[in-house]
Amino acid sequence: MNTLIPSEKRWIITGVLLAGLVGGALLFTSFIRAADETLFLCSTANAKSRAVAAAADYSATPIQLQAIVHYATSTVVPQQNLAEISISFNILKKLAPANFLVFGLGRDSLMWASLNPRGKTLFLEEDLEWFQKVTKDSPFLRAHHVRYRTQLQQADSLLRSYKTEPNCFPAKSYLRGNEKCKLALTGLPDEFYDTEWDLLMLDAPKGYFPEAPGRMAAIFSAAVMARNRKKPGVTHVFLHDVNRRVEKTFAEEFLCRKYRVNAAGRLWHFAIPPAAANATIDSGDYRFC
């Protein structure tokens, strides 16, 4: 007997699962935090008034409610599948509120923002027409239109040339104003450089035709930001579309196989420690891994 789900019903099931994921995140976060707060409040004289304040603090944010309604009623679902989404979701559950940088605006943007309640979730999008459409439909998303100075067809030459440019070397690599290193993301909004990101989702820019920007600079820059981290702990980097040659090659060159901690479908998860946690780096060594 054929037990396959009819195609016209798949979007319904997927939408319900995504709405449940967002709702579950909200319930999980509220329950755990409220439980911790209750234990503390019981030891105070004004427990009742503070419990009321805590309940208000842990109520759903507008974007979470919007996400639940959107995914429960829409036929449009995120690009990533549930297994891939769950990897990032599990980290967000532990770290939220966090600083979450997402390369690309898409059908999953509302979901990512809602899974990081009261944190900073910033989206970077290179397609101006798409940027205008998404931000018009979801004006509450924090997003910037950006330009990249690379093309996918340059990937191989960029991988060779960085090895002879000292400003690309891990010992002294930086991003803002680093015009000599062609893989460094320059000219982006100050918010990009001034924030220390806890999680980075690399699901853009486009990388499926020669003139597209490709993800070479995004991958390199993610590695630089992770290595330059000042706060305790690792930087979590999630790279999608690792089935493609450029994404896989640049991930192994800069994000490092030894830091890969999880994978599902077309997504790899890296947990990269700051360079200060490693041994002394040779200033003349181009290798990140």
Side-chain angles (χ1 to χ4, degrees), residues 78-284:
Q79 297 94 317
Q80 297 183 25
N81 62 41
L82 188 59
E84 293 168 339
I85 292 170
S86 296
I87 291 179
S88 308
F89 173 54
N90 288 335
I91 301 301
L92 281 167
K93 281 195 299 185
K94 297 177 183 177
L95 299 183
N99 292 329
F100 187 19
L101 178 64
V102 182
F103 285 81
L105 277 170
R107 294 170 292 178
D108 52 7
S109 299
L110 186 57
M111 177 192 68
W112 293 130
S114 69
L115 293 179
N116 186 30
R118 300 174 181 85
K120 177 193 284 189
T121 303
L122 178 68
F123 300 90
L124 304 177
E125 173 59 46
E126 85 275 10
D127 187 317
L128 180 58
E129 184 177 350
W130 180 245
F131 171 83
Q132 292 172 337
K133 181 184 185 306
V134 174
T135 53
K136 179 180 178 181
D137 295 339
S138 303
F140 39 78
L141 292 176
R142 194 173 194 150
H144 293 292
H145 174 247
V146 297
R147 297 178 184 275
Y148 297 98
R149 53 181 181 150
T150 59
Q151 291 188 345
L152 182 65
Q153 59 192 351
Q154 302 169 334
D156 292 337
S157 62
L158 287 169
L159 195 60
R160 292 191 300 268
S161 62
Y162 97 90
K163 298 175 182 179
T164 59
E165 174 49 64
N167 281 353
C168 292
F169 292 0
K172 61 179 297 186
S173 57
Y174 63 98
L175 300 180
R176 183 166 17 205
N178 190 354
E179 300 295 338
K180 290 185 177 180
C181 180
K182 299 303 181 184
L183 284 171
L185 288 177
T186 61
L188 271 60
D190 288 339
E191 187 175 20
F192 170 80
Y193 303 106
D194 295 339
T195 304
E196 190 160 87
W197 302 103
D198 303 305
L199 305 92
L200 297 92
M201 174 64 68
L202 310 184
D203 207 357
K206 295 183 182 72
Y208 52 86
F209 58 94
E211 296 77 19
R215 297 182 191 166
M216 303 84 66
I219 293 171
F220 172 85
S221 298
V224 171
M225 289 188 285
R227 295 174 64 87
N228 292 343
R229 181 182 179 88
K230 300 297 188 295
K231 294 193 298 186
V234 300
T235 300
H236 296 274
V237 179
F238 307 93
L239 174 63
H240 199 227
D241 297 318
V242 294
N243 56 305
R244 302 194 302 214
R245 181 182 69 87
V246 169
E247 278 80 356
K248 182 178 180 180
T249 300
F250 275 72
E252 293 181 339
E253 183 77 14
F254 298 111
L255 301 180
C256 308
R257 185 180 293 271
K258 64 183 177 181
Y259 297 138
R260 197 179 80 188
V261 295
N262 208 344
R266 295 180 292 139
L267 182 129
W268 283 353
H269 171 204
F270 299 85
I272 304 175
N278 299 323
T280 302
I281 303 172
D282 182 354
S283 60

